[in-house]
Amino acid sequence: MDEIVFRGANDQAMTSSLLVAKEFGKAHAKVMRDIEILNCSYEFRLANFGDSSFKNEQGREFPMFTMTKDGFSFLVMGYTGKKAARFKEAYINAFNKMELEIRSSIKPKSQLEILQMSINQLVEQERRLSSVERDIAETKNEIAE
């Protein structure tokens, strides 16, 4: 899942409509349409979706969108089904991992910043542990049923 999130400009965790289409098993044109018809504000769209392009195997250029974690979340929260739910969790975890890597690569300037980074990492570890424990409990319940 790590390869679906990349480091964008200004060290921001990003993904693209092409990667979303691939991971969700959707046609890229449908993901592009989904983004174009989102009912978000102009300001949100401007801050979280960027016009871009990619070249296919034949070298032809096609449009795509890049998006932030918030843009991704807004888009895919409308997708449904078990596969969509698993991917939503995986994307969120991948974004969080990338953000943590970005934060840890930036050198703190003071002891207070070092302490704050340590606290943030502990909170993130606790959140992940809780998520794993919840997944285990759900799996046990599914097995019991």
Side-chain angles (χ1 to χ4, degrees):
M1 279 294 133
D2 294 338
E3 61 273 1
I4 60 178
V5 178
F6 58 90
R7 187 183 293 227
N10 301 321
D11 286 334
Q12 190 172 26
M14 304 287 289
T15 191
S16 72
S17 56
L18 196 60
L19 294 171
V20 170
K22 178 182 173 191
E23 292 300 324
F24 279 82
K26 293 182 169 281
H28 184 242
K30 291 188 180 198
V31 173
M32 292 287 289
R33 181 207 60 208
D34 292 345
I35 294 169
E36 289 168 355
I37 64 171
L38 285 174
N39 287 321
C40 59
S41 69
Y42 173 77
E43 293 79 13
F44 184 88
R45 180 178 300 279
L46 195 58
N48 294 289
F49 295 94
D51 292 324
S52 190
S53 64
F54 72 96
K55 289 187 180 181
N56 69 4
E57 294 173 359
Q58 292 78 31
R60 287 189 57 205
E61 194 165 336
F62 291 94
M64 74 172 186
F65 288 105
T66 56
M67 66 192 88
T68 65
K69 178 182 176 182
D70 291 343
F72 162 78
S73 298
F74 196 95
L75 170 66
V76 301
M77 290 308 152
Y79 293 170
T80 59
K82 285 186 176 189
K83 185 176 182 181
R86 284 193 306 270
F87 279 120
K88 288 175 194 180
E89 287 182 27
Y91 268 96
I92 289 167
N93 290 335
F95 268 106
N96 289 335
K97 182 178 177 185
M98 176 60 78
E99 287 177 341
L100 189 58
E101 287 177 21
I102 290 168
R103 276 192 238 113
S104 66
S105 70
I106 299 170
K107 302 293 181 218
K109 296 180 180 140
S110 69
Q111 289 182 344
L112 181 61
E113 288 177 333
I114 292 169
L115 181 60
Q116 184 63 46
M117 284 177 63
S118 297
I119 291 169
N120 290 342
Q121 288 174 345
L122 287 171
V123 168
E124 176 63 19
Q125 287 174 351
E126 177 62 29
R127 186 197 63 75
R128 288 181 182 175
L129 179 60
S130 295
S131 176
V132 168
E133 289 172 342
R134 186 176 54 251
D135 290 346
I136 290 170
E138 289 174 5
T139 302
K140 284 181 180 178
N141 287 339
E142 288 176 7
I143 290 171
E145 292 174 1

